[in-house]
Amino acid sequence: MNQEPKPKSGKKLRLDKILSHLGLATRSESKKLAKQGRIAVDGKTVKDSGLQVDPELSSIEVDGQPVRYREFVYLLLNKPQGVVSATEDRYDRTVVDLLDTEYLAFEPFPVGRLDKDTEGLLLLTNDGKLAHELLSPRKHVPKTYEAVVLGAVDESDGQAFAAGVTLDDGYKTMPAELEIVRNYVLDDESRSDIRLTIMEGKFHQVKRMFEAVGKKVIFLKRVTMGPLELDPALAPGQYRELSEDELRALRGE
Ligand code: URA
């Protein structure tokens, strides 16, 4: 993975560094491209890949194609089951392993965690400041989960979650909102489809909240995080960049 420090916006950088940061060409490939006259800056062919350029102010083209410079990427992933929310892992595939090379150059990381067997909305970015704010316990960013639960979830569970339940380690959860979508019987067992919105993110929180009321989560999917919603067009394992509107909403603008 690219270990170069991230360029800061508003200053001049070597052309080859810009192209490598964007994952478009290695340093030696940039040198070759420049020699071959395939790189242009502000409409003029540039033969020296070491030229200092302000990527915010200048337009760069490779083979006539404009290069879009940005410092950060923001990816909305529908995390599939079976991959871990980490950037590297000795045994398991990670969410970063699902990304195309063009995004790896940014070194994105998951904002928070979903369990290996949980699917759904996961934001990946290299914007540490935004990630920090979203994860700050003081911010109480709401997250909604859909779950299949073994047992007949009822109004008393809703009241318990609204009041806060005590987890196995003694922690009392903040008020959470439960919606019972349906109760049914499958294979002679009571089951419930629910939606639960929590304002915090303790380890295995949703599963442990149901354990606290004597029930077991057998399927879990996150569908919202703050203003972001899981895009129904994304199959598990698929991702896309956030839209301008989504990014603005996330920043609270
Ligand atoms: N709560 C859980 O129990 N697991 C998750 O992955 C997310 C929330």
Side-chain angles (χ1 to χ4, degrees):
M1 209 179 268
N2 183 0
Q3 291 302 317
E4 304 226 6
K6 290 284 167 286
K8 290 278 167 279
S9 58
K11 63 177 182 190
K12 287 194 169 184
L13 300 164
R14 284 176 63 104
L15 196 48
D16 51 11
K17 195 159 184 180
I18 296 170
L19 296 183
S20 96
H21 172 61
L22 293 173
L24 294 175
T26 61
R27 225 160 161 142
S28 63
E29 285 165 351
S30 289
K31 194 169 178 178
K32 218 187 234 171
L33 287 170
K35 273 211 173 128
Q36 292 168 343
R38 294 163 66 186
I39 306 181
V41 174
D42 295 328
K44 280 193 215 109
T45 302
V46 168
K47 295 269 181 172
D48 174 12
S49 61
L51 183 77
Q52 298 275 337
V53 176
D54 185 333
E56 305 272 326
L57 300 178
S58 292
S59 70
I60 304 168
E61 287 176 16
V62 176
D63 288 337
Q65 296 296 315
V67 166
R68 184 158 72 99
Y69 179 79
R70 59 245 167 97
E71 190 176 3
F72 299 122
V73 279
Y74 304 89
L75 304 171
L76 182 74
L77 169 72
N78 184 354
K79 178 193 169 297
Q81 294 183 9
V83 298
V84 294
S85 303
T87 52
E88 43 189 50
D89 191 273
R90 210 193 278 209
Y91 305 105
D92 290 307
R93 282 180 83 208
T94 73
V95 287
V96 169
D97 293 333
L98 301 170
L99 305 180
D100 292 327
T101 332
E102 64 168 305
Y103 293 114
L104 294 181
F106 291 89
E107 298 181 34
F109 54 85
V111 178
R113 281 187 192 187
L114 292 178
D115 297 336
K116 186 172 166 186
D117 62 355
T118 300
E119 53 183 71
L121 189 160
L122 188 65
L123 177 68
L124 289 108
T125 185
N126 56 340
D127 183 342
K129 190 163 167 274
L130 184 77
H132 184 74
E133 277 168 20
L134 288 169
L135 295 176
S136 163
R138 283 177 292 108
K139 285 276 156 86
H140 304 313
V141 173
K143 288 157 285 252
T144 301
Y145 293 85
E146 289 180 356
V148 179
V149 178
L150 277 187
V153 177
D154 61 22
E155 282 314 320
S156 69
D157 298 318
Q159 283 159 14
F161 289 166
V165 287
T166 303
L167 303 183
D168 47 11
D169 59 359
Y171 176 79
K172 183 157 186 254
T173 57
M174 287 175 56
E177 201 179 314
L178 176 70
E179 181 194 339
I180 300 163
V181 179
R182 66 180 186 128
N183 299 114
Y184 54 104
V185 174
L186 190 71
D187 299 331
D188 287 337
E189 277 180 319
S190 290
R191 293 189 183 203
S192 309
D193 292 347
I194 63 94
R195 283 169 69 90
L196 180 67
T197 302
I198 58 176
M199 313 293 267
E200 51 194 341
K202 300 288 171 207
F203 187 59
H204 298 325
Q205 181 158 344
V206 175
K207 293 172 186 167
R208 290 163 71 212
M209 284 175 72
F210 276 98
E211 272 164 28
V213 294
K215 299 185 174 86
K216 187 171 167 57
V217 171
I218 55 168
F219 171 82
L220 188 60
K221 174 176 171 180
R222 181 156 68 189
V223 291
T224 75
M225 180 177 179
L228 295 183
E229 287 181 16
L230 182 61
D231 184 338
L234 295 175
Q238 292 186 327
Y239 64 93
R240 64 162 171 79
E241 291 191 31
L242 289 191
S243 67
E244 292 285 323
D245 283 351
E246 285 170 327
L247 190 52
R248 263 195 298 273
L250 208 53
R251 290 185 172 133
E253 293 170 3

